[in-house]
Amino acid sequence: MKPKPMAIVEPSPATAVYDDWTFAGADTRQLTHCYHDYPARMIPQVAGRLLDRYGRRARLLFDPYCGTGTSLVEGMRRGISVLGTDLNPLARLISSAKITQAPLKELDQAIAQLDSLAEIPPADFAEPSSLRQLEFWFQPAVSARLAQLRDFIDTLTPQSVRQFFQVAFSETVRDCSNTRNEEFKLYRYDAERLGKFKPDVRATLKAKLLRNRKGLADFRTLLERRNTAFFAAVADFNTVAEIPEKWLVPGTVDIVVTSPPYGDSRTTVAYGQYSRLSAAWLGLDEPQRVDGRLMGGTTKRSPAVFPSATLNAALAQVQEVSAARALEVSAFYHDLLLSITNVARVVRPGGYACYVVGNRRVKGVVMPTDVAVADFFAAQGFRHVDTFHRQIPNKRMPLKNSPGNIAGETAATMSREYVVVMQK
Ligand SMILES: C[S@@+](CC[C@H](N)C(=O)[O-])C[C@H]1O[C@@H](n2cnc3c(N)ncnc32)[C@H](O)[C@@H]1O
């Protein structure tokens, strides 16, 4: 009899590929995770597994790039106090709403009131002041209805109910705008599609409110059963600059679970651009300035040398092809290093830092962000516990760099990510 061929296990250059982190087919929209789409969201199962393995006795979790708050919700459901920070005001709104237990009775009353709003919204309304070209992005009837709903939401109390509505409203803005919904960047529908596009704004909002209400009710039930008092908050500080002691005292964080951006916003994910229409309608701060403030948003004059030989070698390769791109990419790692240095300080001895990262390709060179993160933490006295490889089954990510971003960089960038675990 012919022997069966042996299964081939792909060797890993870093460490182990012991277990499957793909979670293909898993329900990633349970609890308040159902609230709002966002680019490059972490899936709850990854945060959950990290907490179950490395945070079993954790009392405080920190996420320095919390986005929509995936790791915060996963921490809370395990009875851990959580703090997140993000520079994007829309991300802060979503993550705050996801960790806040808005009262269901008041929510239901407000949802019921939606049906009594006038059928024909007033044609005169206050336009979102930070949005130029309103008619380019919204049909007039859509704008009128959005304005009516926004004005209604502004009257809601308490704040947790208002915030809950604002999150559903934000997705409604996006879905009912003229922007192509399959993409995170803003691209207008073509004329043919626009001609047929007649969104029902109020029904869209209501459907999202009801979906989110179910997620919230499930989350509340889970937390009530657990019955532990803990702290949960979202802040707006930038760990690249500092971590204010009023938020976190050095040596107090048990576990960091986070996914930093894959690179600067201009050439990877434009979080500010994604958020612009919602932020304008909601009156959030400076939607147009967000991308410049995020990691790698400001290019430095000379490329830095990093405490990572692997990263320095990759940057040198990029430099050979394009000095300008090497500078831009180096600006991102410069910020990442400063941030990690500050984050390392707030972790307690024995505590963990878990970073989910992607290795993007620049000018044909794979940027070894997983190794850089491990080296940056090692420079702060952490030991490398493990790096897990994760195939990305369906994350909506720029798998290819958009040719519109950087000419000549169309190579596939990321179909897998790396879960780097370090211990202090
Ligand atoms: C990959 S996303 C995080 C997604 C998040 N884990 C989730 O599940 O929604 C990266 C986030 O980093 C934020 N960001 C980028 N630079 C930042 C900085 N210097 N400080 C804080 N947040 C930053 C972006 O606004 C974005 O929300």
Side-chain angles (χ1 to χ4, degrees):
M1 207 171 77
K2 240 170 126 193
K4 273 198 185 150
M6 297 239 310
I8 296 167
V9 178
E10 191 189 337
S12 150
T15 46
V17 200
Y18 300 129
D19 41 9
D20 182 14
W21 286 72
T22 314
F23 298 107
D27 180 0
T28 60
R29 293 306 193 112
Q30 289 174 337
L31 309 177
T32 52
H33 294 304
C34 68
Y35 275 19
H36 198 298
D37 212 357
Y38 195 67
R41 263 181 314 125
M42 192 192 289
I43 66 161
Q45 284 75 8
V46 167
R49 184 178 285 177
L50 288 167
L51 289 170
D52 291 340
R53 279 195 191 172
Y54 305 106
R56 221 158 313 139
R57 275 187 289 278
R59 283 188 306 186
L60 179 59
L61 173 153
F62 176 47
D63 185 345
Y65 310 96
C66 72
T68 58
T70 307
S71 63
L72 307 184
V73 171
E74 287 302 300
M76 286 174 76
R77 70 188 289 187
R78 288 166 177 78
I80 303 173
S81 287
V82 297
L83 174 68
T85 185
D86 203 291
L87 295 187
N88 181 359
L90 181 65
R92 290 201 297 277
L93 173 74
I94 301 166
S95 48
S96 300
K98 277 167 95 169
I99 63 170
T100 302
Q101 298 172 63
L104 295 180
K105 195 168 138 225
E106 281 84 345
L107 259 187
D108 290 341
Q109 283 165 354
I111 292 175
Q113 279 174 25
L114 266 187
D115 295 329
S116 57
L117 288 182
E119 262 320 306
I120 313 243
D124 281 345
F125 56 84
E127 293 185 2
S129 57
S130 60
L131 189 63
R132 277 174 282 131
Q133 299 180 291
L134 181 71
E135 295 206 356
F136 184 78
W137 292 116
F138 299 93
Q139 298 172 30
V142 170
S143 287
R145 183 64 91 185
L146 284 173
Q148 180 198 34
L149 294 169
R150 174 205 56 197
D151 294 348
F152 164 72
I153 292 170
D154 283 348
T155 65
L156 294 176
T157 55
Q159 198 207 345
S160 58
V161 171
R162 190 163 61 246
Q163 210 173 48
F164 179 92
F165 268 70
Q166 285 173 329
V167 168
F169 177 77
S170 165
E171 263 196 327
T172 304
V173 166
R174 175 104 199 168
D175 284 7
C176 298
S177 73
N178 299 340
T179 192
R180 301 206 298 243
N181 217 1
E182 322 72 67
E183 315 203 26
F184 286 124
K185 289 202 164 188
L186 296 178
Y187 291 111
R188 196 174 192 247
Y189 287 138
D190 58 28
E192 192 192 337
R193 182 123 177 231
L194 264 188
K196 293 186 208 141
F197 184 54
K198 297 277 168 270
D200 182 336
V201 182
R202 188 162 55 174
T204 306
L205 175 67
K206 189 153 179 193
K208 291 184 188 304
L209 288 167
L210 294 177
R211 178 199 66 190
N212 295 357
R213 189 218 181 270
K214 175 169 185 327
L216 175 64
D218 293 346
F219 192 39
R220 288 187 62 116
T221 308
L222 199 142
L223 295 181
E224 275 155 25
R225 258 194 238 131
R226 185 163 262 290
N227 194 22
T228 33
F230 48 75
F231 166 89
V234 173
D236 62 354
F237 58 84
N238 184 356
T239 55
V240 174
E242 62 159 350
I243 300 182
E245 284 210 17
K246 73 168 188 195
W247 281 110
L248 282 177
V249 174
T252 54
V253 170
D254 297 294
I255 187 161
V256 175
V257 176
T258 194
S259 56
Y262 290 92
D264 65 283
S265 297
R266 199 172 64 81
T267 62
T268 57
V269 180
Y271 292 100
Q273 190 180 132
Y274 167 77
S275 313
R276 200 161 63 121
L277 301 180
S278 302
W281 274 102
L282 288 165
L284 300 177
D285 293 342
E286 304 181 324
Q288 66 285 14
R289 298 233 187 113
V290 166
D291 283 326
R293 296 181 60 220
L294 303 183
M295 300 264 290
T298 319
T299 310
K300 317 290 178 289
R301 242 174 282 164
S302 50
V305 177
F306 297 98
S308 169
T310 311
L311 175 63
N312 290 333
L315 281 168
Q317 273 181 280
V318 177
Q319 169 109 21
E320 275 174 27
V321 189
S322 164
R325 286 296 287 137
L327 258 190
E328 286 173 356
V329 178
S330 148
F332 170 78
Y333 290 103
H334 177 269
D335 287 352
L336 185 63
L337 174 61
L338 291 178
S339 170
I340 284 181
T341 307
N342 287 326
V343 169
R345 221 170 282 140
V346 296
V347 176
R348 70 160 171 81
Y352 289 89
C354 310
Y355 274 52
V356 182
V357 299
N359 289 353
R360 61 188 295 226
R361 200 184 280 269
V362 177
K363 295 282 175 202
V365 181
V366 174
M367 300 309 300
T369 307
D370 63 324
V371 180
V373 164
D375 288 347
F376 291 178
F377 272 108
Q380 302 304 316
F382 282 59
R383 82 177 175 94
H384 183 211
V385 177
D386 226 327
T387 296
F388 303 101
H389 295 198
R390 169 165 192 267
Q391 218 51 49
I392 304 176
N394 52 11
K395 195 169 185 174
R396 251 212 290 165
M397 282 287 311
L399 286 180
K400 285 175 182 242
N401 278 343
S402 155
N405 279 338
I406 298 293
E409 285 187 20
T410 54
T413 41
M414 282 160 303
S415 56
R416 74 164 60 179
E417 56 190 13
Y418 300 83
V419 185
V420 183
V421 182
M422 306 292 295
Q423 187 178 29
K424 187 162 173 181

